[in-house]
Amino acid sequence: MLATCSAGCHRGSAVVDGPVESKRARGDSLSSEAAPAYATAMLGGGCFWCVESDFEKCPGVEDVVSGYSGGASKAPTYETYAAGGHVEVVEVTYDPTVVTFAGLVEWLIKHSDPTDPSGSFADRGSQYRPVVFYDNEQQQQAAQEVIAKIDQMGIYEKSIAIDLEPREKFWPAEDYHQDYHRKSLVKYDYYRYQSGRDAFITEHWGDRAGKLELPESKPSSSDVMGTPDAEQSSTP
């Protein structure tokens, strides 16, 4: 399985034609009444099966959809996205009154290898690089500040090498990739363990991986009370 994953962690899956609508669009997770309060963000940290699973555990996150972005081709599929210059990403729908954009960046750093610009654990290639897509200068600055603060902690032997890029169109991945950690639990757990991802996270963060520690990762009281927030510009 791991040898298969080295060429791409999803090659063992059955192919389903074409991309699917996001879970939000299908109404699997969110009610239309609640949706206006949410914002979205797009981030990548290697195999999107793992990134999706990890972000579902982040406080304030309401929905996570696996997909592709950052390339030049249109309507990428799993078979074509890498050639089109895309990267595996997740689109995170979150409640800005619980977690900030900076908090999502902190969570990504703690649940990936943010120091490897050439891939992610068993998966090699730029399509697996760590990346944060930002909507505006405020989000770009917030991401830069989180990266700088965690670098200063000396958690990693190497500097954080997350790409910060302007947000582009999100293309949802095929249905068989969504919630893969639930649909194919045994294969997913085997891949995740053998890839070294969990060992890496535990080695560097331990129990701290499940906590948002930076002050800017949670909104201030003024934000919660409705003070205009740049993050709201990404509300779907």
Side-chain angles (χ1 to χ4, degrees):
M1 176 70 176
L2 187 60
T4 301
C5 291
S6 297
C9 69
H10 323 299
R11 291 297 180 186
S13 303
V15 175
V16 176
D17 291 337
V20 297
E21 291 182 297
S22 71
K23 285 175 279 186
R24 288 189 298 108
R26 296 198 309 266
D28 291 352
S29 302
L30 307 179
S31 69
S32 59
E33 293 181 358
Y38 296 132
T40 63
M42 194 164 64
L43 314 94
C47 170
F48 50 28
W49 296 343
C50 300
V51 182
E52 178 185 336
S53 173
D54 286 335
F55 266 105
E56 287 184 353
K57 302 177 182 70
C58 180
V61 167
E62 298 294 331
D63 190 32
V64 190
V65 180
S66 291
Y68 319 108
S69 191
S73 63
K74 296 185 181 299
T77 67
Y78 182 70
E79 300 302 322
T80 65
Y81 82 94
H86 295 279
V87 61
E88 290 195 10
V89 297
V90 295
E91 184 183 60
V92 177
T93 300
Y94 66 103
D95 184 345
T97 68
V98 179
V99 62
T100 64
F101 183 81
L104 299 180
V105 177
E106 178 186 342
W107 199 265
L108 175 70
I109 290 173
K110 287 182 172 181
H111 293 86
S112 63
D113 181 355
T115 69
D116 186 352
S118 301
S120 178
F121 304 105
D123 297 310
R124 311 314 305 160
S126 62
Q127 69 269 35
Y128 297 109
R129 71 186 185 276
V131 59
V132 170
F133 289 92
Y134 57 85
D135 286 327
N136 49 51
E137 291 184 2
Q138 290 89 345
Q139 288 188 348
Q140 181 184 22
Q141 182 177 354
Q144 290 170 336
E145 290 175 355
V146 171
I147 290 170
K149 286 187 176 183
I150 296 181
D151 266 337
Q152 290 171 5
M153 292 179 186
I155 300 292
Y156 302 105
E157 295 181 0
K158 298 182 291 183
S159 296
I160 292 174
I162 294 176
D163 284 341
L164 302 180
E165 302 178 10
R167 185 162 171 171
E168 300 187 31
K169 183 176 176 60
F170 174 75
W171 303 90
E174 295 83 348
D175 186 56
Y176 68 89
H177 288 305
Q178 310 299 336
D179 296 314
Y180 190 84
H181 56 291
R182 295 190 182 93
K183 296 174 181 176
S184 301
L185 180 61
V186 174
K187 290 182 179 180
Y188 169 77
D189 282 349
Y190 182 80
Y191 162 73
R192 184 163 182 129
Y193 173 78
Q194 291 294 334
S195 72
R197 192 182 194 103
D198 283 337
F200 182 90
I201 293 169
T202 299
E203 175 187 353
H204 290 88
W205 292 103
D207 292 340
R208 296 170 64 189
K211 303 174 184 177
L212 292 171
E213 299 177 287
L214 299 181
E216 58 267 41
S217 292
K218 299 178 182 179
S220 65
S221 57
S222 61
D223 292 334
V224 173
M225 293 302 293
T227 298
D229 190 331
E231 290 180 49
Q232 300 293 339
S233 65
S234 61
T235 301

